[in-house]
Amino acid sequence: MRMNLKSVQVLLCMLLLLPLVFVKPVQSKAQIAAATITVDQADVINPDFLGIGAEYDPFAYMEESLGDGFNDNWWEMEKHRIAKLKPDIVRVWYQVDWMEPANDNNDPAVINWSGMQTNSSKMQAVYEVLDYLKSQDIDVMLIAGLAMTEENQSWLGFPGLPRPELSAPTDLAEWGEWVSATLQHLINTKGYTNIKYVMSYNEPNLASFATPANVSKPNYYRDMYQAIHNRLTADGIRSQVKLIGPDESGAANWTQYAVQQMDGVLDIYDGHAYGQDYATLQSWLTTRLNYVNPTGKPFMITEFAGIASPDSRKTYQYGVSVADLMVSGMRNNASALLYWRFADQRLPEPLDFLDNNAYGLYRWMPITATPNPSYYAFGLFSRYIESHSEVLSTESPDPDLHVSSVRLPDGNYSVFVVNSSKTVDKNVTINFTSAINKSVERHLYSEEVVPSANANLLPADKRWAQVASQFNDDLLPANSVAVYTTVPDETQIEIMSADQSVTWGEKIKFKACVLNGIGGVKWSVLGGPDYGTISNGGVYHAPSTMPAMRQAIIKATSNINPDVYSYAVVRFEAAGLTASGEEDMIVLNWLPSAGATGYTVKRSINPGGPYTAIAAELTETTYTDTDVNASTRYYYVVSAENAVGEIGNSRETFASPLSTSMQDEFTGHAVDTSKWTIVNQGLRSTSASALTASVADGTLKLAGTTDIGTWAGKSLRSIPTFRATPEAPLTVEVDRVSLDGSGVGFRSAVWLYVGPSQYIHFAQSGEYNRWVFNKDGSSDNLVWNDGDRGNHRMKMVHDGSTVKFYIDGVERASTAVTWHTDIKIILTGEACLIGDTVNAEFDNLSVYKGSTP
């Protein structure tokens, strides 16, 4: 029997004027097609699936995060989200300097505990996260060592590397000592017995684990793991953890090497799956499993993400792609799937930047508490799979349906279905080959999902009571993800308008709805009356002065079960400030602050200020700044005020005005710094290399012998920024005068560049004698087979959705793109491996709007 569990709850919430903002009614898009799915409980694909998880690093209470606005309030919110998602495994970054900034005693055979900084501020931050993960019974995968500060480099790093912070350890015995000391302290002394997996370094085939040119990376990596294994064995801790490697990204040959050279050391093999989709992940896995399966050991995907640009990672569709990858990984015998990453986070020294490329299931909390849509898609898997589940054979004759299923250790079942058709709804019959005799509930990720700062998991929207071996879902929407599970739905609380901004002394009325449960809620404010008060009826009264933290956290707790609660955020600052560069202007928008009588916009040409007020007593939540220069980046904050006074500045945002044209004939004897910034930019590396940029004899020359790999370059990046639209296409033309070089690979390239995963790289490939383009991190795509490396006119035309490639006035190829604004122009000469040379010359650059100048 099928019935709608939510009907009564939705009615009650509507009566209370509390619509469930994160789930709207599903609407059919097309004629419904019949489909079947069969779950064969006797055919077990993987008898010990180790789990679903993600990267979450212990940076919350490190000084870099605290300096960028993180505090106790945000940590409470993050803990609540981790508890909701219920991951099986969390991968945790761990640096040397946190416990051993200086060598403990210069004797790798003996650990001098008095020389270990186990009570350092950064170790305290590590304990904070590990304590919580242990309280939630979440297994930890520790990345023992990644980046080195200057302190570590002085005694443990190779000298003379382009990026010394990514150096491999010079003394492998010392490294083994440090890893052993780390595990002895964290597991035996601190009691983090949930640390089950350990790896050392990240993506050693790429920039991390840097070694001098005369040191073989794979061999040195093997020797490092042998040193770790030997030391853990000698110290009696080896049996307490599983060693994982080679942690490669896009380099199956490293997995092959690890099987051949490291099988006596590694317990589990792993890799990072980027640039894959549902179909290609199968071949990606098959290649690696062909090496690993004869060992009888598991293979984990310890990082993965969908194919998308930073902007599109914030969309509903990206959540579908993440779900598709998890289904494909389970079907094709990955033993665990760890997403990169739970949340945008501020990285610590020596990297120290906000990793906000939108991979996070939710963004940096001080900016917004509202998750990305992928949070909800990921939650269907992390909540309804448990470690050590069995992955069952699950098939459908309908190619639109991507399916997998698990039998949990307690005997419950979860069936995962992605309806990949963009237009066709499905009437799906799900068959089990033997009776389950359990009730089944559906949780649906559909295009009607609207994220909310409550970050509740998607509640069940359908239920089938006491299913024997078959049930029918008469409407699975197109382009959706569903989990059909026998795991009972949980009670949650939805607070309406859960991320707001308020002025001093103002009042806000909150309302809440109990989902899948009964009773009302009790209201409270974390931190006590300094952060305001809230009545039994949910009326919040803001304080009259700024408390220690710039926000209050409102808590609604179930009257029936105190373990069920939800949070809302009240910010004592103007929120949601965005800046958008337009032609000859910058447009600012922000969210209204409750009780505000006016707003002030402040500006600086330096990040962090000091700021000068450029507009005051604004009553609207938008402002256009026209007093701008196209070659300047501007930094903005906005504040709100009422009769009591001014609340704090918003978080800073920045933008540059867009330009309509740019020309450079490269006359003179130097790069024009009013137009260009000289940067280290190659197809695969932004590390400093020995390549040079110069202007001489009327041309731009990008040349030299590279001292680093892979695909390092020297480039000119435009200071002006551009936009492409159908009405005003962006055209870039340049004479590629010549290309020469030697070695494995050398190229000359012109880029349309927004960011590390939003770009077009249009190049002549000297090693393959052809013209190619790379898009958003993809591999080579052919433009034209021609090996002449003399003078050719390169042109790209971007019409807002498509980029066309021209050589000598002839269109040779085109490709669709999803980005169209904040575009920089880059000219590059690049070489592939250490010792390769390149000499690329350019002249007569012209950037303009329209298809003809």
Side-chain angles (χ1 to χ4, degrees):
M1 178 178 126
R2 181 172 66 84
M3 51 186 276
N4 193 326
L5 275 184
K6 300 308 302 173
S7 298
V8 173
Q9 291 171 351
V10 170
L11 178 59
L12 288 174
C13 288
M14 289 178 66
L15 291 173
L16 293 170
L17 299 179
L18 293 173
L20 300 184
V21 296
F22 58 89
V23 179
K24 296 179 183 177
V26 173
Q27 296 179 353
S28 179
K29 298 179 180 178
Q31 184 175 357
I32 297 177
T36 60
I37 297 170
T38 300
V39 179
D40 188 347
Q41 293 109 301
D43 188 358
V44 178
I45 293 176
N46 188 336
D48 189 19
F49 184 72
L50 298 174
I52 297 289
E55 182 95 6
Y56 184 81
D57 298 318
F59 307 151
Y61 282 97
M62 295 187 181
E63 57 185 345
E64 295 87 352
S65 294
L66 297 175
D68 199 20
F70 205 87
N71 54 42
D72 291 347
N73 283 340
W74 303 127
W75 178 226
E76 286 302 316
M77 298 279 285
E78 295 219 333
K79 287 192 295 185
H80 194 226
R81 292 187 179 182
I82 293 170
K84 279 185 172 294
L85 290 173
K86 301 182 189 298
D88 304 304
I89 305 170
V90 168
R91 189 168 176 259
V92 175
W93 178 329
Y94 184 82
Q95 281 184 200
V96 184
D97 62 287
W98 300 348
M99 191 172 87
E100 193 179 4
N103 199 332
D104 62 323
N105 61 3
N106 295 314
D107 183 357
V110 178
I111 300 172
N112 177 13
W113 287 105
S114 64
M116 296 291 179
Q117 305 297 314
T118 57
N119 289 316
S120 70
S121 61
K122 297 215 168 178
M123 288 301 292
Q124 296 297 328
V126 172
Y127 304 150
E128 184 76 31
V129 172
L130 292 182
D131 282 339
Y132 187 70
L133 296 178
K134 182 181 178 183
S135 74
Q136 297 297 306
D137 296 321
I138 296 171
D139 290 341
V140 168
M141 180 182 295
L142 198 70
I143 311 173
L146 199 152
M148 291 189 189
T149 62
E150 290 185 9
E151 291 174 299
N152 293 133
Q153 295 161 26
S154 66
W155 61 277
L156 198 54
F158 285 106
L161 295 176
R163 295 192 64 186
E165 71 274 12
L166 300 180
S167 175
T170 53
D171 190 327
L172 297 184
E174 284 284 359
W175 193 256
E177 176 199 30
W178 171 73
V179 174
S180 181
T182 289
L183 297 179
Q184 290 181 61
H185 176 68
L186 293 178
I187 297 175
N188 295 341
T189 303
K190 297 293 292 183
Y192 301 125
T193 53
N194 56 322
I195 297 177
K196 300 291 182 64
Y197 310 102
V198 175
M199 61 177 57
S200 196
Y201 276 87
N202 177 73
E203 298 180 345
N205 61 297
L206 299 178
S208 183
F209 198 70
T211 60
N214 62 343
V215 175
S216 166
K217 264 193 172 190
N219 290 349
Y220 201 67
Y221 183 79
R222 173 200 62 198
D223 295 345
M224 177 186 69
Y225 263 77
Q226 189 67 56
I228 293 170
H229 169 80
N230 292 345
R231 185 55 185 261
L232 297 184
T233 301
D235 289 345
I237 198 172
R238 178 65 178 86
S239 62
Q240 294 178 252
V241 295
K242 303 288 187 184
L243 285 182
I244 302 177
D247 208 48
E248 50 90 359
S249 181
N253 59 309
W254 272 69
T255 296
Q256 181 183 28
Y257 177 89
V259 169
Q260 294 169 346
Q261 299 287 325
M262 302 173 65
D263 195 53
V265 171
L266 294 177
D267 301 298
I268 298 172
Y269 294 91
D270 84 303
H272 297 179
Y274 290 104
Q276 308 301 317
D277 58 23
Y278 174 81
T280 62
L281 186 61
Q282 178 179 5
S283 59
W284 186 96
L285 272 167
T286 298
T287 299
R288 289 154 175 80
L289 291 174
N290 284 340
Y291 301 132
V292 172
N293 282 344
T295 71
K297 296 177 181 178
F299 180 87
M300 290 181 168
I301 297 177
T302 48
E303 286 185 24
F304 77 93
I307 303 173
S309 65
D311 284 342
S312 62
R313 290 185 204 122
K314 300 172 186 175
T315 65
Y316 166 82
Q317 196 60 43
Y318 182 70
V320 176
S321 71
V322 169
D324 239 350
L325 286 168
M326 288 190 279
V327 168
S328 185
M330 293 163 63
R331 287 181 57 81
N332 293 295
N333 210 23
S335 288
L337 292 157
L338 275 61
Y339 179 72
W340 179 272
R341 58 180 34 252
F342 265 135
D344 298 348
Q345 291 187 280
R346 165 66 72 175
L347 276 57
E349 186 190 2
L351 302 183
D352 192 13
F353 66 91
L354 179 58
D355 185 14
N356 65 345
N357 288 322
Y359 281 115
L361 299 174
Y362 52 94
R363 298 175 63 192
W364 181 241
M365 283 280 194
I367 295 176
T368 179
T370 301
N372 291 322
S374 54
Y375 173 92
Y376 300 94
F378 179 87
L380 296 181
F381 291 78
S382 63
R383 173 63 182 89
Y384 297 108
I385 296 175
E386 293 181 11
S387 57
H388 309 297
S389 294
E390 296 175 308
V391 180
L392 305 176
S393 173
T394 311
E395 302 295 339
S396 174
D398 187 335
D400 289 338
L401 298 184
H402 302 162
V403 297
S404 186
S405 67
V406 295
R407 179 165 48 214
L408 281 63
D410 63 3
N412 276 305
Y413 291 90
S414 295
V415 181
F416 302 91
V417 183
V418 177
N419 181 2
S420 66
S421 171
K422 295 293 196 298
T423 57
V424 180
D425 299 337
K426 305 290 181 175
N427 182 327
V428 181
T429 298
I430 298 179
N431 301 295
F432 292 85
T433 55
S434 60
I436 61 172
N437 297 319
K438 294 176 180 289
S439 295
V440 176
E441 296 174 338
R442 184 184 80 168
H443 302 257
L444 181 68
Y445 176 74
S446 76
E447 292 181 84
E448 308 304 324
V449 169
V450 178
S452 162
N454 291 274
N456 284 326
L457 298 182
L458 297 173
D461 69 333
K462 288 185 178 180
R463 183 174 187 266
W464 295 264
Q466 289 303 304
V467 170
S469 59
Q470 182 185 94
F471 65 97
N472 174 258
D473 183 356
D474 59 5
L475 179 58
L476 175 63
N479 198 34
S480 68
V481 183
V483 56
Y484 301 92
T485 182
T486 62
V487 177
D489 196 6
E490 57 190 79
T491 301
Q492 301 181 97
I493 295 173
E494 181 76 6
I495 304 175
M496 307 305 296
S497 302
D499 193 348
Q500 299 190 57
S501 181
V502 67
T503 50
W504 302 130
E506 189 60 29
K507 294 181 179 180
I508 302 176
K509 170 70 173 178
F510 284 102
K511 300 176 182 179
C513 183
V514 178
L515 309 178
N516 193 42
I518 59 174
V521 300
K522 299 176 182 177
W523 295 97
S524 59
V525 180
L526 300 190
D530 285 350
Y531 291 87
T533 59
I534 191 165
S535 71
N536 293 335
V539 177
Y540 170 76
H541 193 173
S544 58
T545 58
M546 180 72 79
M549 294 181 285
R550 297 168 68 93
Q551 64 288 136
I553 304 298
I554 308 304
K555 185 176 184 180
T557 305
S558 166
N559 284 326
I560 305 299
N561 183 352
D563 293 330
V564 175
Y565 56 89
S566 191
Y567 291 136
V569 181
V570 176
R571 299 174 188 265
F572 309 130
E573 59 187 6
L577 176 64
T578 61
S580 175
E582 305 290 339
E583 292 175 358
D584 302 322
M585 66 183 69
I586 295 174
V587 178
L588 304 172
N589 289 281
W590 58 93
L591 297 175
S593 297
T597 57
Y599 302 93
T600 298
V601 174
K602 306 171 189 179
R603 188 181 77 180
S604 174
I605 59 171
N606 299 306
Y611 305 103
T612 299
I614 60 173
E617 298 181 356
L618 300 172
T619 56
E620 302 294 327
T621 56
T622 185
Y623 177 74
T624 299
D625 186 4
T626 57
D627 183 20
V628 291
N629 187 307
S631 63
T632 304
R633 173 177 282 184
Y634 296 93
Y635 299 85
Y636 298 90
V637 294
V638 64
S639 64
E641 58 272 341
N642 64 3
V644 177
E646 182 183 28
I647 63 171
N649 289 336
S650 68
R651 288 186 61 84
E652 181 182 83
T653 190
F654 62 85
S656 298
L658 299 179
S659 297
T660 58
S661 65
M662 174 182 174
Q663 283 77 39
D664 197 338
E665 296 180 356
F666 300 107
T667 57
H669 302 285
V671 172
D672 187 341
T673 55
S674 69
K675 298 177 180 178
W676 302 101
T677 302
I678 300 174
V679 296
N680 300 307
Q681 181 80 59
L683 179 59
R684 302 295 180 215
S685 174
T686 55
S687 298
S689 73
L691 302 179
T692 62
S694 62
V695 171
D697 302 321
T699 64
L700 167 68
K701 295 176 173 60
L702 302 163
T705 301
T706 185
D707 54 348
I708 61 170
T710 301
W711 285 118
K714 188 66 71 173
S715 300
L716 266 58
R717 185 175 64 207
S718 69
I719 292 173
T721 305
F722 303 89
R723 170 183 293 158
T725 66
E727 298 76 24
L730 174 66
T731 298
V732 179
E733 295 191 64
V734 69
D735 288 335
R736 203 295 312 278
V737 177
S738 65
L739 170 66
D740 199 3
S742 63
V744 173
F746 54 95
R747 298 184 177 190
S748 59
V750 183
W751 306 55
L752 303 179
Y753 186 83
V754 178
S757 58
Q758 291 180 295
Y759 63 81
I760 290 288
H761 173 275
F762 178 23
Q764 186 178 29
S765 162
E767 70 276 20
Y768 294 124
N769 291 318
R770 63 189 184 189
W771 298 80
V772 297
F773 74 86
N774 302 80
K775 180 179 73 171
D776 300 344
S778 71
S779 56
D780 286 355
N781 297 272
L782 181 64
V783 173
W784 187 36
N785 267 316
D786 182 76
D788 180 67
R789 301 203 294 269
N791 191 17
H792 294 281
R793 188 70 172 172
M794 301 173 68
K795 182 168 80 170
M796 285 186 283
V797 179
H798 186 344
D799 67 4
S801 60
T802 301
V803 174
K804 295 180 179 180
F805 303 90
Y806 296 80
I807 299 173
D808 298 328
V810 178
E811 182 182 341
R812 301 289 182 178
S814 64
T815 186
V817 292
T818 59
W819 41 266
H820 68 280
T821 192
D822 297 322
I823 300 169
K824 298 281 190 178
I825 311 304
I826 297 179
L827 302 176
T828 295
E830 57 199 5
C832 183
L833 298 180
I834 295 171
D836 290 356
T837 69
V838 63
N839 188 344
E841 291 192 44
F842 294 93
D843 199 2
N844 301 318
L845 174 94
S846 181
V847 184
Y848 53 89
K849 288 297 188 72
S851 56
T852 58

